[in-house]
Amino acid sequence: MPRLFEFPAYQFRFVRYCGVVKQPSLWNSVRFWYSFLLLCSFTPLHVWYLAKTPATDLVVTCEEIMLLQLNCVTVLKFNQFVTYRTGMFELVEAFERIQKSVRIEEFPRFVKCNEIHAKLLKAYAIGTIIVLMLYELNAIVASVALSLQQNDFCFVAPFSSPFDYQHPIVFAVVFVYNFDAMLITALMTITIDTYYSEMASNLTIHFDLVGERFAKLDLSAYDAFANRELRNIITYHSDVLSLAQKMVQLFQKSTFYLLLLVSTILCLLGYEFVMVSNIYKRMQVAILACIMIGQAAIYTYHGSAICAKQIYFCLMRAQKPIIMKSGFIEASLPTLKKILSSSASYITMLMSLEPEGGN
């Protein structure tokens, strides 16, 4: 019988760096809260920087606003383990328990799904690490160039800071702070997004199996086997619905804010891509934009897929389809289309604000 090598893909291995484990030790707890507070401190520091710095350069201002929004999304994802730590691990256990209802001939679908998400996780990790390295590389190149211009040692951190960090020790602290913040952001984002994607994919497969089993069921026989099989299908379907509802409860808030902010993040990234001339900066912005589109696609695609499966099963139960929705935003592919359309409109608006002949 095929087996899942790791479920979910890599079993939260990456966020162990942030202290996220099922049974945390004292060190894990300290690391966990340090990581969370470090991310939370990012926003006030950059708001302080914006308040101290005159908004003379629209590109710099837009990048700061983009980073603030990106940080908010990451904090919300981290909050999944702050507020729903038990629920996140229990959801994994619930999926593992329901695997017992899967027959041998049906299991290869889950193995294939697991393998695909393991590859997705690796590709996602490569993309985010490239962005991280480009932030560091841009800071190093800018430091060298500025030092050569000034004929003195000058330092440029990966992110802006309200503090004067030209002292080597202060710069080292700021550099490590920025690096750790980026690494925590990357690892948390990779984990939450692939976790959600794999769970949603598994959920869709379970819905397919319920439909296939029901279609194969011969109710005309009226024998004990048919009745027992029908009860098993009903129980299986009930378990799948319970999993879907748990997923909605766990992810609806973070999904709402991600989809709410992603259009403006893409807008600011698009504007920055057009306005900057540094090839490394453009590469960094382009990859980051692809990652953000990928994040939105993960949540909207799976939201649409789960909804489509549920519409079919509305005929089997007198309830509304389960939809990943919070507030006024619904996680569906039409929402992704609106996000991309809005981003393009915002970029055009920002371009119109740029003075003639500006760089």
Side-chain angles (χ1 to χ4, degrees):
M1 180 176 181
R3 67 187 182 91
L4 297 181
F5 293 99
E6 290 182 325
F7 179 80
Y10 285 84
Q11 298 179 336
F12 301 130
R13 184 180 301 168
F14 288 168
V15 287
R16 293 174 194 172
Y17 176 80
C18 309
V20 177
V21 293
K22 189 174 182 179
Q23 296 179 335
S25 63
L26 177 60
W27 165 250
N28 295 137
S29 298
V30 170
R31 178 63 189 173
F32 177 84
W33 287 109
Y34 160 79
S35 301
F36 184 65
L37 293 174
L38 184 145
L39 287 179
C40 291
S41 68
F42 189 91
T43 295
L45 286 175
H46 281 257
V47 170
W48 185 9
Y49 172 79
L50 282 174
K52 288 181 61 177
T53 306
T56 54
D57 191 333
L58 187 57
V59 174
V60 174
T61 303
C62 286
E63 180 171 7
E64 288 299 314
I65 295 173
M66 180 273 296
L67 290 173
L68 287 171
Q69 293 180 329
L70 197 59
N71 177 251
C72 289
V73 172
T74 306
V75 170
L76 285 166
K77 290 179 179 179
F78 202 121
N79 188 58
Q80 294 290 109
F81 288 108
V82 175
T83 308
Y84 307 113
R85 178 199 289 263
T86 303
M88 296 288 278
F89 285 100
E90 286 180 349
L91 186 61
V92 175
E93 294 173 356
F95 269 96
E96 291 174 341
R97 285 195 301 270
I98 205 173
Q99 293 291 349
K100 297 176 182 178
S101 303
V102 179
R103 297 165 183 168
I104 295 177
E105 64 273 15
E106 298 167 340
F107 208 74
R109 300 189 197 184
F110 295 94
V111 175
K112 184 178 180 181
C113 176
N114 177 257
E115 292 172 348
I116 290 173
H117 280 87
K119 293 176 182 177
L120 172 65
L121 188 145
K122 290 178 181 178
Y124 204 162
I126 291 171
T128 52
I129 294 302
I130 289 174
V131 171
L132 188 152
M133 291 175 63
L134 286 172
Y135 266 108
E136 302 292 333
L137 179 62
N138 284 327
I140 293 171
V141 171
S143 297
V144 172
L146 191 60
S147 297
L148 292 175
Q149 288 179 0
Q150 302 292 335
N151 291 322
D152 194 9
F153 286 108
C154 296
F155 301 108
V156 177
F159 299 128
S160 302
S161 173
F163 306 109
D164 181 7
Y165 52 77
Q166 292 307 310
H167 190 282
I169 296 177
V170 177
F171 172 73
V173 172
V174 171
F175 194 90
V176 171
Y177 169 86
N178 287 337
F179 180 81
D180 208 19
M182 285 190 289
L183 193 56
I184 292 170
T185 297
L187 297 179
M188 185 57 63
T189 298
I190 292 167
T191 299
I192 291 293
D193 292 347
T194 53
Y195 171 93
Y196 174 84
S197 179
E198 186 169 8
M199 295 296 181
S201 297
N202 272 264
L203 195 61
T204 303
I205 295 172
H206 283 297
F207 277 125
D208 285 336
L209 294 179
V210 172
E212 291 171 9
R213 291 184 188 182
F214 188 78
K216 293 177 182 177
L217 186 62
D218 183 9
L219 296 176
S220 62
Y222 293 107
D223 57 11
F225 174 78
N227 289 333
R228 184 171 63 253
E229 186 66 14
L230 178 59
R231 286 195 298 270
N232 290 339
I233 293 173
I234 292 172
T235 301
Y236 182 28
H237 183 218
S238 177
D239 292 340
V240 175
L241 291 176
S242 177
L243 283 178
Q245 289 163 354
K246 288 178 181 177
M247 280 196 65
V248 170
Q249 291 171 0
L250 284 174
F251 287 97
Q252 63 181 359
K253 289 183 180 179
S254 59
T255 302
F256 168 74
Y257 286 107
L258 170 65
L259 298 179
L260 181 66
L261 295 175
V262 73
S263 60
T264 52
I265 292 174
L266 289 174
C267 153
L268 296 169
L269 287 171
Y271 174 75
E272 192 174 355
F273 179 83
V274 172
M275 300 307 298
V276 298
S277 56
N278 186 316
I279 184 64
Y280 298 109
K281 187 68 176 178
R282 278 195 169 185
M283 187 185 304
Q284 167 197 308
V285 169
I287 296 174
L288 185 54
C290 290
I291 290 172
M292 294 307 302
I293 293 173
Q295 287 185 33
I298 284 173
Y299 289 92
T300 53
Y301 170 77
H302 287 297
S304 293
I306 293 173
C307 177
K309 300 297 178 185
Q310 288 290 66
I311 290 173
Y312 173 77
F313 287 107
C314 276
L315 301 175
M316 301 169 59
R317 63 189 180 97
Q319 296 182 21
K320 294 181 180 179
I322 293 176
I323 302 173
M324 183 63 70
K325 182 177 181 180
S326 181
F328 55 87
I329 294 182
E330 177 181 311
S332 61
L333 291 178
T335 300
L336 178 61
K337 181 180 178 181
K338 292 178 182 177
I339 287 171
L340 297 178
S341 176
S342 300
S343 300
S345 300
Y346 295 152
I347 293 171
T348 304
M349 181 191 71
L350 284 174
M351 292 293 294
S352 68
L353 297 177
E354 189 69 18
E356 292 292 332
N359 294 322

